Amino acid sequence: MSTWTEFYNQIRDPSWPDCDQESDFEHLPNVIRLECQNQFGYVPGSFQKKSKLVNKRFPINTATACQLKWTWSTVYLTTEKTASCHRTDHHRFNKDTFDFHNTPEKIRDRERMLAGQWPERGCDYCQDIEVAGGQSDRITNLDFPGIHAPPELSTDSTATLVTPRMLEVYFDNTCNLKCLYCGPHFSSLWDAENKRHGTFHRGDLLIPSNFVKSSNIDSNKQRLFEWLKTNSHHLTVFNILGGEPLYQPELDQCLDLFETYPAPELKLQIFTNLNARLDRVQAMVQRVKHLIDTDCLREFEITASLDCWGASQEYVRYPLDLTVWGRNFEYLVGETWINLIINSTITPLTVKTLPYLLTKINIWSQQRKIYHYQNSVNDPSYMFIDIFGNIFQKDFDRAIDLKPTTTPEEIASRNYLAGIAQQSAHCNPNVVEIQKLYDFLNEMDRRRGTNWPGTFPWLVDEFDKHNLKD
């Protein structure tokens, strides 16, 4: 929710009195105040820093229109590419104009969506989920709280040359993990491992060994900073990703920039694996708190990446230490002014212990509201949730039952997980992709000294069904 009024009107019982200002919360009857806090996770004073923009439903109502295509831009400085969704293809933008939001490709996609057509390429993920009857990213974001449409759409609902509201930047690939579903574009450890071991090729599986960053990465970073100095007042959200932001100097450089060029309407969000020293996390958090207290930023959100729990998670997000992650996260739970989210990537290797993570989230949420979202991978194809067919239904049922449904955000998140479950059950086993996964895990064990059969004993039986065994 963007404002106190919207939040209160969303949750209020018809018998409750009006309360148009957050400052009047303390004058409500005690039973109502307790319900707002205990049932709906409200923290007194938390809307003081919310955006003054009132949430309005995305005004384009065609069968394929996606708010992200108009509102959102992602910039990858290592490859000089952009996209308006994590699911779609990346393409180059003009480095001279630095207009990463209104590229010919994005404008063409917007035009097709205005006509009720899917883009010619790149939106297959949502299209497939919707065909299967699930809730796609496109549907979820049509009326998602906190997302604001470009100002041009207020006067012209057919505008295709628009101002971004949400910007996220992948500054570099410096990272201290090498997650199985990641790769050298986003992980320097993956890059180093590939260079050390060389190209791996077996059957249809290919793991290439070379990743070349743009030679213009430093100058492009400076262009991005200049863009922020001039345009950050149009943004409502700025996301910093990596690699791993806690290991990258660009995070601190962004904080320097906002200290000098305040953006009092901006929500800053970082996506982190939280596998860092506690004092680094604490220092960063306290610096951001100072920027908010001095009106240099509006709000802070941390999305901590974690897919499941236990040995399976430490294998998938190698070399994650869950003890370190848990210590850092529990510190953040105590910093109640931070919006705190856990995001999980759903793969065949994580879905079985996702319920254990959701149980822990529900325990943490007894202290303060912790939101949970999930996604499934774009690539590699052997990490798609549906390659084994409908074998995870019980696991998904357990996870869905553990998802809370108190707020609109929680309902949307639960529906999204249900959509992934439908996607998982929609196909028959894909033997080609199962073979790739088998070969990939054996190669990872060879490189890293890990042991997938010991971590995933159920997977031994699944591979055996397709005559895959040592």
Side-chain angles (χ1 to χ4, degrees), residues 76 78 169-177 179 182-189 240-248 250 270-274 305 317:
Y76 304 89
T78 55
V169 180
Y170 289 81
F171 280 101
D172 208 337
N173 70 336
T174 303
C175 188
N176 59 326
L177 298 183
C179 305
C182 194
H185 284 75
F186 302 114
S187 168
S188 53
L189 283 191
I240 300 176
L241 304 95
E244 169 50 48
L246 291 173
Y247 281 80
Q248 296 182 338
E250 289 82 5
I270 67 168
F271 290 73
T272 172
N273 61 44
L274 274 188
S305 299
R317 296 182 63 79

PDB file of all heavy atoms in Angstrom, residues 76 78 169-177 179 182-189 240-248 250 270-274 305 317:
ATOM      1  N   TYR A  76      21.811  -3.703 -17.483  1.00  0.00           N
ATOM      2  CA  TYR A  76      22.942  -4.594 -17.211  1.00  0.00           C
ATOM      3  C   TYR A  76      24.200  -3.905 -17.725  1.00  0.00           C
ATOM      4  O   TYR A  76      24.454  -3.863 -18.932  1.00  0.00           O
ATOM      5  CB  TYR A  76      22.740  -5.941 -17.922  1.00  0.00           C
ATOM      6  CG  TYR A  76      21.447  -6.639 -17.577  1.00  0.00           C
ATOM      7  CD1 TYR A  76      20.288  -6.382 -18.312  1.00  0.00           C
ATOM      8  CD2 TYR A  76      21.378  -7.544 -16.527  1.00  0.00           C
ATOM      9  CE1 TYR A  76      19.093  -7.019 -18.005  1.00  0.00           C
ATOM     10  CE2 TYR A  76      20.186  -8.184 -16.216  1.00  0.00           C
ATOM     11  CZ  TYR A  76      19.045  -7.912 -16.961  1.00  0.00           C
ATOM     12  OH  TYR A  76      17.864  -8.544 -16.649  1.00  0.00           O
ATOM     13  N   THR A  78      27.323  -4.718 -17.392  1.00  0.00           N
ATOM     14  CA  THR A  78      28.399  -5.585 -17.880  1.00  0.00           C
ATOM     15  C   THR A  78      28.230  -5.932 -19.352  1.00  0.00           C
ATOM     16  O   THR A  78      29.202  -6.208 -20.051  1.00  0.00           O
ATOM     17  CB  THR A  78      28.448  -6.901 -17.078  1.00  0.00           C
ATOM     18  OG1 THR A  78      27.169  -7.519 -17.129  1.00  0.00           O
ATOM     19  CG2 THR A  78      28.864  -6.641 -15.637  1.00  0.00           C
ATOM     20  N   VAL A 169      19.442  -1.936 -11.441  1.00  0.00           N
ATOM     21  CA  VAL A 169      20.740  -1.946 -12.100  1.00  0.00           C
ATOM     22  C   VAL A 169      21.570  -3.119 -11.602  1.00  0.00           C
ATOM     23  O   VAL A 169      21.704  -3.342 -10.391  1.00  0.00           O
ATOM     24  CB  VAL A 169      21.497  -0.626 -11.846  1.00  0.00           C
ATOM     25  CG1 VAL A 169      22.851  -0.665 -12.540  1.00  0.00           C
ATOM     26  CG2 VAL A 169      20.683   0.564 -12.341  1.00  0.00           C
ATOM     27  N   TYR A 170      22.100  -3.875 -12.562  1.00  0.00           N
ATOM     28  CA  TYR A 170      23.118  -4.880 -12.284  1.00  0.00           C
ATOM     29  C   TYR A 170      24.462  -4.212 -12.585  1.00  0.00           C
ATOM     30  O   TYR A 170      24.854  -4.076 -13.741  1.00  0.00           O
ATOM     31  CB  TYR A 170      22.927  -6.103 -13.182  1.00  0.00           C
ATOM     32  CG  TYR A 170      21.726  -6.954 -12.845  1.00  0.00           C
ATOM     33  CD1 TYR A 170      20.458  -6.596 -13.271  1.00  0.00           C
ATOM     34  CD2 TYR A 170      21.871  -8.124 -12.097  1.00  0.00           C
ATOM     35  CE1 TYR A 170      19.355  -7.383 -12.975  1.00  0.00           C
ATOM     36  CE2 TYR A 170      20.774  -8.914 -11.797  1.00  0.00           C
ATOM     37  CZ  TYR A 170      19.519  -8.542 -12.234  1.00  0.00           C
ATOM     38  OH  TYR A 170      18.427  -9.328 -11.931  1.00  0.00           O
ATOM     39  N   PHE A 171      25.151  -3.777 -11.544  1.00  0.00           N
ATOM     40  CA  PHE A 171      26.376  -3.018 -11.739  1.00  0.00           C
ATOM     41  C   PHE A 171      27.531  -3.880 -12.216  1.00  0.00           C
ATOM     42  O   PHE A 171      28.309  -3.475 -13.075  1.00  0.00           O
ATOM     43  CB  PHE A 171      26.762  -2.306 -10.430  1.00  0.00           C
ATOM     44  CG  PHE A 171      25.996  -1.043 -10.189  1.00  0.00           C
ATOM     45  CD1 PHE A 171      24.931  -1.028  -9.308  1.00  0.00           C
ATOM     46  CD2 PHE A 171      26.330   0.130 -10.845  1.00  0.00           C
ATOM     47  CE1 PHE A 171      24.217   0.141  -9.077  1.00  0.00           C
ATOM     48  CE2 PHE A 171      25.629   1.300 -10.623  1.00  0.00           C
ATOM     49  CZ  PHE A 171      24.567   1.308  -9.738  1.00  0.00           C
ATOM     50  N   ASP A 172      27.671  -5.048 -11.622  1.00  0.00           N
ATOM     51  CA  ASP A 172      28.798  -5.918 -11.964  1.00  0.00           C
ATOM     52  C   ASP A 172      28.433  -7.334 -11.557  1.00  0.00           C
ATOM     53  O   ASP A 172      27.375  -7.571 -10.960  1.00  0.00           O
ATOM     54  CB  ASP A 172      30.071  -5.444 -11.259  1.00  0.00           C
ATOM     55  CG  ASP A 172      31.335  -5.799 -12.011  1.00  0.00           C
ATOM     56  OD1 ASP A 172      31.300  -6.762 -12.811  1.00  0.00           O
ATOM     57  OD2 ASP A 172      32.359  -5.128 -11.807  1.00  0.00           O
ATOM     58  N   ASN A 173      29.321  -8.291 -11.851  1.00  0.00           N
ATOM     59  CA  ASN A 173      29.016  -9.685 -11.520  1.00  0.00           C
ATOM     60  C   ASN A 173      29.760 -10.158 -10.276  1.00  0.00           C
ATOM     61  O   ASN A 173      29.748 -11.362  -9.973  1.00  0.00           O
ATOM     62  CB  ASN A 173      29.341 -10.609 -12.702  1.00  0.00           C
ATOM     63  CG  ASN A 173      30.835 -10.746 -12.955  1.00  0.00           C
ATOM     64  OD1 ASN A 173      31.627  -9.867 -12.578  1.00  0.00           O
ATOM     65  ND2 ASN A 173      31.222 -11.821 -13.612  1.00  0.00           N
ATOM     66  N   THR A 174      30.382  -9.253  -9.534  1.00  0.00           N
ATOM     67  CA  THR A 174      31.104  -9.631  -8.322  1.00  0.00           C
ATOM     68  C   THR A 174      30.152 -10.293  -7.336  1.00  0.00           C
ATOM     69  O   THR A 174      29.158  -9.698  -6.907  1.00  0.00           O
ATOM     70  CB  THR A 174      31.742  -8.399  -7.656  1.00  0.00           C
ATOM     71  OG1 THR A 174      32.595  -7.758  -8.596  1.00  0.00           O
ATOM     72  CG2 THR A 174      32.544  -8.809  -6.435  1.00  0.00           C
ATOM     73  N   CYS A 175      30.441 -11.543  -6.978  1.00  0.00           N
ATOM     74  CA  CYS A 175      29.553 -12.293  -6.087  1.00  0.00           C
ATOM     75  C   CYS A 175      30.353 -13.358  -5.352  1.00  0.00           C
ATOM     76  O   CYS A 175      31.328 -13.896  -5.878  1.00  0.00           O
ATOM     77  CB  CYS A 175      28.418 -12.939  -6.891  1.00  0.00           C
ATOM     78  SG  CYS A 175      27.145 -13.702  -5.852  1.00  0.00           S
ATOM     79  N   ASN A 176      29.891 -13.674  -4.153  1.00  0.00           N
ATOM     80  CA  ASN A 176      30.569 -14.665  -3.317  1.00  0.00           C
ATOM     81  C   ASN A 176      29.881 -16.029  -3.326  1.00  0.00           C
ATOM     82  O   ASN A 176      30.240 -16.915  -2.564  1.00  0.00           O
ATOM     83  CB  ASN A 176      30.657 -14.157  -1.873  1.00  0.00           C
ATOM     84  CG  ASN A 176      29.281 -13.878  -1.268  1.00  0.00           C
ATOM     85  OD1 ASN A 176      28.360 -13.460  -1.968  1.00  0.00           O
ATOM     86  ND2 ASN A 176      29.143 -14.085   0.023  1.00  0.00           N
ATOM     87  N   LEU A 177      28.852 -16.188  -4.183  1.00  0.00           N
ATOM     88  CA  LEU A 177      28.194 -17.485  -4.345  1.00  0.00           C
ATOM     89  C   LEU A 177      28.189 -17.864  -5.815  1.00  0.00           C
ATOM     90  O   LEU A 177      28.386 -17.024  -6.688  1.00  0.00           O
ATOM     91  CB  LEU A 177      26.751 -17.440  -3.833  1.00  0.00           C
ATOM     92  CG  LEU A 177      26.513 -17.143  -2.352  1.00  0.00           C
ATOM     93  CD1 LEU A 177      25.019 -17.226  -2.033  1.00  0.00           C
ATOM     94  CD2 LEU A 177      27.308 -18.069  -1.441  1.00  0.00           C
ATOM     95  N   CYS A 179      25.404 -20.008  -7.417  1.00  0.00           N
ATOM     96  CA  CYS A 179      24.170 -20.785  -7.357  1.00  0.00           C
ATOM     97  C   CYS A 179      24.016 -21.627  -8.620  1.00  0.00           C
ATOM     98  O   CYS A 179      24.409 -21.212  -9.707  1.00  0.00           O
ATOM     99  CB  CYS A 179      22.978 -19.859  -7.196  1.00  0.00           C
ATOM    100  SG  CYS A 179      23.114 -18.753  -5.763  1.00  0.00           S
ATOM    101  N   CYS A 182      22.484 -20.029 -11.630  1.00  0.00           N
ATOM    102  CA  CYS A 182      23.090 -18.763 -12.040  1.00  0.00           C
ATOM    103  C   CYS A 182      24.155 -19.034 -13.096  1.00  0.00           C
ATOM    104  O   CYS A 182      24.126 -20.033 -13.807  1.00  0.00           O
ATOM    105  CB  CYS A 182      23.667 -18.046 -10.822  1.00  0.00           C
ATOM    106  SG  CYS A 182      24.091 -16.312 -11.099  1.00  0.00           S
ATOM    107  N   GLY A 183      25.105 -18.123 -13.237  1.00  0.00           N
ATOM    108  CA  GLY A 183      26.153 -18.289 -14.226  1.00  0.00           C
ATOM    109  C   GLY A 183      27.113 -17.122 -14.187  1.00  0.00           C
ATOM    110  O   GLY A 183      26.989 -16.216 -13.341  1.00  0.00           O
ATOM    111  N   PRO A 184      28.100 -17.085 -15.079  1.00  0.00           N
ATOM    112  CA  PRO A 184      29.155 -16.073 -15.014  1.00  0.00           C
ATOM    113  C   PRO A 184      28.673 -14.643 -15.229  1.00  0.00           C
ATOM    114  O   PRO A 184      29.334 -13.703 -14.772  1.00  0.00           O
ATOM    115  CB  PRO A 184      30.120 -16.505 -16.120  1.00  0.00           C
ATOM    116  CG  PRO A 184      29.315 -17.361 -17.044  1.00  0.00           C
ATOM    117  CD  PRO A 184      28.324 -18.052 -16.167  1.00  0.00           C
ATOM    118  N   HIS A 185      27.532 -14.439 -15.913  1.00  0.00           N
ATOM    119  CA  HIS A 185      27.035 -13.077 -16.106  1.00  0.00           C
ATOM    120  C   HIS A 185      26.739 -12.391 -14.776  1.00  0.00           C
ATOM    121  O   HIS A 185      26.882 -11.173 -14.643  1.00  0.00           O
ATOM    122  CB  HIS A 185      25.758 -13.086 -16.953  1.00  0.00           C
ATOM    123  CG  HIS A 185      26.006 -13.300 -18.406  1.00  0.00           C
ATOM    124  ND1 HIS A 185      26.339 -14.532 -18.931  1.00  0.00           N
ATOM    125  CD2 HIS A 185      25.993 -12.440 -19.455  1.00  0.00           C
ATOM    126  CE1 HIS A 185      26.506 -14.421 -20.233  1.00  0.00           C
ATOM    127  NE2 HIS A 185      26.297 -13.172 -20.585  1.00  0.00           N
ATOM    128  N   PHE A 186      26.338 -13.172 -13.771  1.00  0.00           N
ATOM    129  CA  PHE A 186      25.925 -12.599 -12.495  1.00  0.00           C
ATOM    130  C   PHE A 186      26.780 -13.072 -11.327  1.00  0.00           C
ATOM    131  O   PHE A 186      26.495 -12.720 -10.184  1.00  0.00           O
ATOM    132  CB  PHE A 186      24.462 -12.952 -12.216  1.00  0.00           C
ATOM    133  CG  PHE A 186      23.517 -12.488 -13.294  1.00  0.00           C
ATOM    134  CD1 PHE A 186      22.836 -13.403 -14.069  1.00  0.00           C
ATOM    135  CD2 PHE A 186      23.338 -11.141 -13.542  1.00  0.00           C
ATOM    136  CE1 PHE A 186      21.977 -12.982 -15.070  1.00  0.00           C
ATOM    137  CE2 PHE A 186      22.483 -10.703 -14.537  1.00  0.00           C
ATOM    138  CZ  PHE A 186      21.801 -11.614 -15.306  1.00  0.00           C
ATOM    139  N   SER A 187      27.809 -13.857 -11.587  1.00  0.00           N
ATOM    140  CA  SER A 187      28.641 -14.382 -10.507  1.00  0.00           C
ATOM    141  C   SER A 187      30.094 -14.493 -10.941  1.00  0.00           C
ATOM    142  O   SER A 187      30.419 -15.273 -11.843  1.00  0.00           O
ATOM    143  CB  SER A 187      28.132 -15.756 -10.056  1.00  0.00           C
ATOM    144  OG  SER A 187      29.079 -16.388  -9.211  1.00  0.00           O
ATOM    145  N   SER A 188      30.952 -13.735 -10.276  1.00  0.00           N
ATOM    146  CA  SER A 188      32.376 -13.812 -10.572  1.00  0.00           C
ATOM    147  C   SER A 188      32.955 -15.160 -10.155  1.00  0.00           C
ATOM    148  O   SER A 188      33.916 -15.639 -10.770  1.00  0.00           O
ATOM    149  CB  SER A 188      33.115 -12.670  -9.865  1.00  0.00           C
ATOM    150  OG  SER A 188      32.805 -12.643  -8.478  1.00  0.00           O
ATOM    151  N   LEU A 189      32.384 -15.798  -9.121  1.00  0.00           N
ATOM    152  CA  LEU A 189      32.854 -17.130  -8.738  1.00  0.00           C
ATOM    153  C   LEU A 189      32.525 -18.158  -9.811  1.00  0.00           C
ATOM    154  O   LEU A 189      33.319 -19.057 -10.093  1.00  0.00           O
ATOM    155  CB  LEU A 189      32.231 -17.553  -7.402  1.00  0.00           C
ATOM    156  CG  LEU A 189      32.812 -16.941  -6.128  1.00  0.00           C
ATOM    157  CD1 LEU A 189      32.277 -17.669  -4.900  1.00  0.00           C
ATOM    158  CD2 LEU A 189      34.329 -16.961  -6.117  1.00  0.00           C
ATOM    159  N   ILE A 240      19.066  -2.263  -6.514  1.00  0.00           N
ATOM    160  CA  ILE A 240      20.477  -2.560  -6.750  1.00  0.00           C
ATOM    161  C   ILE A 240      20.678  -4.062  -6.636  1.00  0.00           C
ATOM    162  O   ILE A 240      20.364  -4.681  -5.617  1.00  0.00           O
ATOM    163  CB  ILE A 240      21.383  -1.825  -5.743  1.00  0.00           C
ATOM    164  CG1 ILE A 240      21.187  -0.307  -5.849  1.00  0.00           C
ATOM    165  CG2 ILE A 240      22.852  -2.192  -5.975  1.00  0.00           C
ATOM    166  CD1 ILE A 240      21.982   0.484  -4.834  1.00  0.00           C
ATOM    167  N   LEU A 241      21.212  -4.642  -7.717  1.00  0.00           N
ATOM    168  CA  LEU A 241      21.463  -6.074  -7.754  1.00  0.00           C
ATOM    169  C   LEU A 241      22.922  -6.301  -8.137  1.00  0.00           C
ATOM    170  O   LEU A 241      23.686  -5.364  -8.302  1.00  0.00           O
ATOM    171  CB  LEU A 241      20.531  -6.770  -8.751  1.00  0.00           C
ATOM    172  CG  LEU A 241      19.031  -6.560  -8.525  1.00  0.00           C
ATOM    173  CD1 LEU A 241      18.517  -5.418  -9.372  1.00  0.00           C
ATOM    174  CD2 LEU A 241      18.242  -7.826  -8.840  1.00  0.00           C
ATOM    175  N   GLY A 242      23.302  -7.549  -8.323  1.00  0.00           N
ATOM    176  CA  GLY A 242      24.677  -7.834  -8.634  1.00  0.00           C
ATOM    177  C   GLY A 242      24.815  -8.816  -9.779  1.00  0.00           C
ATOM    178  O   GLY A 242      24.082  -8.694 -10.751  1.00  0.00           O
ATOM    179  N   GLY A 243      25.610  -9.805  -9.523  1.00  0.00           N
ATOM    180  CA  GLY A 243      26.380 -10.111  -8.322  1.00  0.00           C
ATOM    181  C   GLY A 243      25.689  -9.898  -6.986  1.00  0.00           C
ATOM    182  O   GLY A 243      24.498 -10.002  -6.841  1.00  0.00           O
ATOM    183  N   GLU A 244      26.531  -9.571  -6.018  1.00  0.00           N
ATOM    184  CA  GLU A 244      26.108  -9.385  -4.646  1.00  0.00           C
ATOM    185  C   GLU A 244      26.435  -7.963  -4.207  1.00  0.00           C
ATOM    186  O   GLU A 244      27.603  -7.601  -4.054  1.00  0.00           O
ATOM    187  CB  GLU A 244      26.798 -10.398  -3.741  1.00  0.00           C
ATOM    188  CG  GLU A 244      26.640 -10.147  -2.254  1.00  0.00           C
ATOM    189  CD  GLU A 244      25.184  -9.929  -1.853  1.00  0.00           C
ATOM    190  OE1 GLU A 244      24.312 -10.728  -2.255  1.00  0.00           O
ATOM    191  OE2 GLU A 244      24.930  -8.943  -1.138  1.00  0.00           O
ATOM    192  N   PRO A 245      25.395  -7.123  -3.968  1.00  0.00           N
ATOM    193  CA  PRO A 245      25.644  -5.719  -3.610  1.00  0.00           C
ATOM    194  C   PRO A 245      26.517  -5.527  -2.380  1.00  0.00           C
ATOM    195  O   PRO A 245      27.278  -4.557  -2.314  1.00  0.00           O
ATOM    196  CB  PRO A 245      24.230  -5.174  -3.380  1.00  0.00           C
ATOM    197  CG  PRO A 245      23.355  -6.026  -4.235  1.00  0.00           C
ATOM    198  CD  PRO A 245      23.971  -7.392  -4.189  1.00  0.00           C
ATOM    199  N   LEU A 246      26.419  -6.421  -1.397  1.00  0.00           N
ATOM    200  CA  LEU A 246      27.211  -6.250  -0.179  1.00  0.00           C
ATOM    201  C   LEU A 246      28.703  -6.442  -0.423  1.00  0.00           C
ATOM    202  O   LEU A 246      29.516  -6.091   0.427  1.00  0.00           O
ATOM    203  CB  LEU A 246      26.735  -7.217   0.902  1.00  0.00           C
ATOM    204  CG  LEU A 246      25.341  -6.927   1.473  1.00  0.00           C
ATOM    205  CD1 LEU A 246      24.906  -8.050   2.404  1.00  0.00           C
ATOM    206  CD2 LEU A 246      25.316  -5.591   2.198  1.00  0.00           C
ATOM    207  N   TYR A 247      29.076  -6.969  -1.579  1.00  0.00           N
ATOM    208  CA  TYR A 247      30.483  -7.143  -1.934  1.00  0.00           C
ATOM    209  C   TYR A 247      30.911  -6.188  -3.050  1.00  0.00           C
ATOM    210  O   TYR A 247      32.022  -6.307  -3.563  1.00  0.00           O
ATOM    211  CB  TYR A 247      30.746  -8.587  -2.369  1.00  0.00           C
ATOM    212  CG  TYR A 247      30.885  -9.543  -1.211  1.00  0.00           C
ATOM    213  CD1 TYR A 247      29.758 -10.039  -0.557  1.00  0.00           C
ATOM    214  CD2 TYR A 247      32.135  -9.935  -0.737  1.00  0.00           C
ATOM    215  CE1 TYR A 247      29.877 -10.903   0.519  1.00  0.00           C
ATOM    216  CE2 TYR A 247      32.264 -10.794   0.333  1.00  0.00           C
ATOM    217  CZ  TYR A 247      31.132 -11.277   0.960  1.00  0.00           C
ATOM    218  OH  TYR A 247      31.253 -12.139   2.037  1.00  0.00           O
ATOM    219  N   GLN A 248      30.040  -5.245  -3.393  1.00  0.00           N
ATOM    220  CA  GLN A 248      30.338  -4.359  -4.517  1.00  0.00           C
ATOM    221  C   GLN A 248      30.438  -2.906  -4.058  1.00  0.00           C
ATOM    222  O   GLN A 248      29.566  -2.433  -3.319  1.00  0.00           O
ATOM    223  CB  GLN A 248      29.254  -4.482  -5.594  1.00  0.00           C
ATOM    224  CG  GLN A 248      29.194  -5.858  -6.217  1.00  0.00           C
ATOM    225  CD  GLN A 248      28.152  -5.963  -7.316  1.00  0.00           C
ATOM    226  OE1 GLN A 248      27.215  -5.190  -7.363  1.00  0.00           O
ATOM    227  NE2 GLN A 248      28.313  -6.932  -8.193  1.00  0.00           N
ATOM    228  N   GLU A 250      29.805  -0.319  -5.677  1.00  0.00           N
ATOM    229  CA  GLU A 250      28.757   0.526  -6.262  1.00  0.00           C
ATOM    230  C   GLU A 250      27.599   0.780  -5.299  1.00  0.00           C
ATOM    231  O   GLU A 250      26.921   1.811  -5.401  1.00  0.00           O
ATOM    232  CB  GLU A 250      28.226  -0.113  -7.547  1.00  0.00           C
ATOM    233  CG  GLU A 250      29.192  -0.069  -8.711  1.00  0.00           C
ATOM    234  CD  GLU A 250      30.230  -1.189  -8.673  1.00  0.00           C
ATOM    235  OE1 GLU A 250      30.138  -2.072  -7.781  1.00  0.00           O
ATOM    236  OE2 GLU A 250      31.127  -1.199  -9.536  1.00  0.00           O
ATOM    237  N   ILE A 270      17.666  -3.361  -2.121  1.00  0.00           N
ATOM    238  CA  ILE A 270      18.790  -4.189  -2.533  1.00  0.00           C
ATOM    239  C   ILE A 270      18.366  -5.656  -2.483  1.00  0.00           C
ATOM    240  O   ILE A 270      17.556  -6.053  -1.647  1.00  0.00           O
ATOM    241  CB  ILE A 270      20.049  -3.960  -1.681  1.00  0.00           C
ATOM    242  CG1 ILE A 270      19.855  -4.442  -0.241  1.00  0.00           C
ATOM    243  CG2 ILE A 270      20.488  -2.510  -1.715  1.00  0.00           C
ATOM    244  CD1 ILE A 270      21.143  -4.518   0.555  1.00  0.00           C
ATOM    245  N   PHE A 271      18.918  -6.417  -3.406  1.00  0.00           N
ATOM    246  CA  PHE A 271      18.703  -7.863  -3.452  1.00  0.00           C
ATOM    247  C   PHE A 271      20.015  -8.511  -3.033  1.00  0.00           C
ATOM    248  O   PHE A 271      21.040  -8.323  -3.696  1.00  0.00           O
ATOM    249  CB  PHE A 271      18.306  -8.297  -4.859  1.00  0.00           C
ATOM    250  CG  PHE A 271      16.933  -7.847  -5.268  1.00  0.00           C
ATOM    251  CD1 PHE A 271      16.676  -6.519  -5.567  1.00  0.00           C
ATOM    252  CD2 PHE A 271      15.891  -8.762  -5.341  1.00  0.00           C
ATOM    253  CE1 PHE A 271      15.404  -6.100  -5.941  1.00  0.00           C
ATOM    254  CE2 PHE A 271      14.619  -8.360  -5.712  1.00  0.00           C
ATOM    255  CZ  PHE A 271      14.380  -7.023  -6.007  1.00  0.00           C
ATOM    256  N   THR A 272      19.993  -9.256  -1.960  1.00  0.00           N
ATOM    257  CA  THR A 272      21.227  -9.751  -1.376  1.00  0.00           C
ATOM    258  C   THR A 272      21.115 -11.214  -0.975  1.00  0.00           C
ATOM    259  O   THR A 272      20.046 -11.685  -0.577  1.00  0.00           O
ATOM    260  CB  THR A 272      21.610  -8.911  -0.144  1.00  0.00           C
ATOM    261  OG1 THR A 272      22.730  -9.506   0.537  1.00  0.00           O
ATOM    262  CG2 THR A 272      20.451  -8.789   0.835  1.00  0.00           C
ATOM    263  N   ASN A 273      22.253 -11.932  -1.054  1.00  0.00           N
ATOM    264  CA  ASN A 273      22.275 -13.312  -0.569  1.00  0.00           C
ATOM    265  C   ASN A 273      22.553 -13.392   0.926  1.00  0.00           C
ATOM    266  O   ASN A 273      22.520 -14.476   1.512  1.00  0.00           O
ATOM    267  CB  ASN A 273      23.275 -14.165  -1.366  1.00  0.00           C
ATOM    268  CG  ASN A 273      24.709 -13.675  -1.254  1.00  0.00           C
ATOM    269  OD1 ASN A 273      25.208 -13.335  -0.178  1.00  0.00           O
ATOM    270  ND2 ASN A 273      25.420 -13.660  -2.385  1.00  0.00           N
ATOM    271  N   LEU A 274      22.860 -12.257   1.559  1.00  0.00           N
ATOM    272  CA  LEU A 274      23.067 -12.152   3.011  1.00  0.00           C
ATOM    273  C   LEU A 274      24.174 -13.049   3.542  1.00  0.00           C
ATOM    274  O   LEU A 274      24.237 -13.302   4.743  1.00  0.00           O
ATOM    275  CB  LEU A 274      21.768 -12.444   3.779  1.00  0.00           C
ATOM    276  CG  LEU A 274      20.807 -11.280   3.993  1.00  0.00           C
ATOM    277  CD1 LEU A 274      19.678 -11.681   4.927  1.00  0.00           C
ATOM    278  CD2 LEU A 274      21.495 -10.036   4.514  1.00  0.00           C
ATOM    279  N   SER A 305      17.610 -13.297  -0.644  1.00  0.00           N
ATOM    280  CA  SER A 305      17.384 -14.468  -1.490  1.00  0.00           C
ATOM    281  C   SER A 305      17.579 -15.747  -0.684  1.00  0.00           C
ATOM    282  O   SER A 305      18.634 -15.953  -0.080  1.00  0.00           O
ATOM    283  CB  SER A 305      18.350 -14.452  -2.676  1.00  0.00           C
ATOM    284  OG  SER A 305      18.144 -13.303  -3.468  1.00  0.00           O
ATOM    285  N   ARG A 317      22.794 -23.115  -3.513  1.00  0.00           N
ATOM    286  CA  ARG A 317      23.371 -21.768  -3.482  1.00  0.00           C
ATOM    287  C   ARG A 317      24.812 -21.827  -2.948  1.00  0.00           C
ATOM    288  O   ARG A 317      25.222 -20.984  -2.151  1.00  0.00           O
ATOM    289  CB  ARG A 317      22.494 -20.841  -2.635  1.00  0.00           C
ATOM    290  CG  ARG A 317      21.105 -20.653  -3.221  1.00  0.00           C
ATOM    291  CD  ARG A 317      20.244 -19.707  -2.407  1.00  0.00           C
ATOM    292  NE  ARG A 317      20.767 -18.364  -2.365  1.00  0.00           N
ATOM    293  CZ  ARG A 317      20.639 -17.469  -3.343  1.00  0.00           C
ATOM    294  NH1 ARG A 317      19.993 -17.797  -4.440  1.00  0.00           N
ATOM    295  NH2 ARG A 317      21.147 -16.274  -3.220  1.00  0.00           N
TER     296      ARG A 317
END
